């Protein structure tokens, strides 16, 4: 599989328990990835690709997904609006629990690191985005010579297109960046 990741931006937040369960249930990984090593160091979660190809040097750093781990209070029902209880009334306590979340937030270099097996690990991130209830994953990738736009919002795939335009400030010689505007990637 040949593929590249040109642009990537993620604001995904998943319960850490869901991420761990995803990998414990033997997900369908891309053929180039034999396994994913899950490591937690303090408040950082690292998901590192283990190459299926023996020809890849054991010293070559393979792609890894990096997430910060935060603890958020999750309420069983919506908390009441701000306002002090009236005289003589007790404040009603709403049942809640602290939940650890894996937050895949940032651009390509922050979330998806190293180039060996980068595209297959993007596909793993894409699968995680499909089970995320919060956040967005947008990306521009290339697979077998075809550009592809990805946009996943709160676990649901949304339409995304790529439009290639000439940058007039470059004197017609092409160039220019790739931007996200009005549900479209513009390059």
């Amino acid at each position: 599989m040949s593929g590249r990741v040109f642009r990537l931006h993620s604001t995904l937040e998943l319960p850490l328990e869901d991420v761990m369960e995803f990998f414990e249930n033997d997900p369908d990984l891309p053929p180039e990835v034999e396994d994913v090593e899950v490591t937690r160091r303090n408040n950082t979660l690292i998901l590192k690709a283990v190459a299926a190809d023996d020809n890849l040097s054991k010293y070559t750093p393979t792609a890894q997904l990096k997430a910060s781990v935060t603890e958020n209070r999750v309420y069983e029902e919506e908390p009441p609006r701000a306002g002090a209880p009236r005289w003589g009334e007790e404040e009603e306590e709403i049942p809640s629990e602290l939940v650890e979340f894996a937050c895949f937030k940032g651009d390509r270099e922050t979330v998806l690191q190293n180039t060996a097996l980068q595209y297959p690990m993007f596909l793993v991130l894409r699968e995680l985005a499909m089970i995320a209830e919060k956040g967005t994953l947008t990306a521009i990738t290339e697979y077998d010579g075809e550009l592809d736009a990805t946009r996943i919002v709160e676990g649901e795939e949304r339409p995304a297109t790529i439009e290639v335009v000439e940058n007039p400030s470059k004197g017609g010689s092409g160039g220019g960046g790739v931007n996200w505007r009005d549900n479209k990637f513009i390059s």
Side-chain angles (χ1 to χ4, degrees), residues 17 57 85:
E17 186 176 301
S57 169

Side-chain angles (χ1 to χ4, degrees), residues 106-169:
D107 295 323
R108 186 184 67 187
E109 295 79 17
T110 307
V111 176
L112 180 58
Q113 302 172 336
N114 303 332
T115 54
L117 303 177
Q118 187 177 69
Y119 183 76
M121 281 305 281
F122 164 74
L123 297 177
V124 171
L125 179 62
R126 193 176 186 288
E127 289 302 312
L128 288 171
M130 294 301 288
I131 63 171
E133 294 179 14
K134 186 175 180 184
T136 302
L137 174 67
T138 55
I140 296 175
T141 58
E142 175 269 327
Y143 178 70
D144 284 342
E146 296 288 322
L147 289 177
D148 185 42
T150 299
R151 183 171 178 240
I152 300 170
V153 179
E154 296 174 351
E156 183 180 310
E157 201 159 2
R158 301 278 175 90
T161 59
I162 301 170
E163 181 181 334
V164 179
V165 295
E166 192 171 317
N167 188 345
S169 66

Side-chain angles (χ1 to χ4, degrees), residues 20-97:
M20 301 308 262
E21 190 175 295
F22 176 81
F23 289 106
E24 287 169 2
N25 291 331
D26 293 323
D28 288 333
L29 297 173
E32 302 83 3
V33 178
E34 182 178 311
D35 194 13
V36 174
E37 291 177 357
V38 179
T39 307
R40 181 169 177 185
R41 294 187 197 130
N42 299 322
N43 292 330
T44 303
L45 183 69
I46 298 171
L47 309 172
K48 184 178 181 197
V50 176
D53 184 3
D54 292 335
N55 294 329
L56 192 62
S57 169
K58 66 180 180 178
Y59 301 109
T60 301
T62 56
Q64 61 186 23
L65 298 171
K66 194 172 180 183
S68 61
V69 178
T70 61
E71 200 171 58
N72 294 334
R73 183 160 300 279
V74 176
Y75 293 92
E76 289 182 17
E77 55 186 73
E78 193 171 317
R81 301 278 181 227
R86 295 183 186 174
W87 180 268
E89 291 181 2
E90 286 189 33
E91 191 173 334
E92 187 178 321
E93 191 167 321
I94 297 173
S96 66
E97 64 177 315

Side-chain angles (χ1 to χ4, degrees), residues 6-7 139-140 147 162-163 175-180 184-187:
F6 293 108
R7 294 278 177 137
I140 296 175
L147 289 177
I162 301 170
E163 181 181 334
V178 178
N179 298 312
W180 173 262
K184 293 183 179 180
F185 288 103
I186 301 174
S187 90

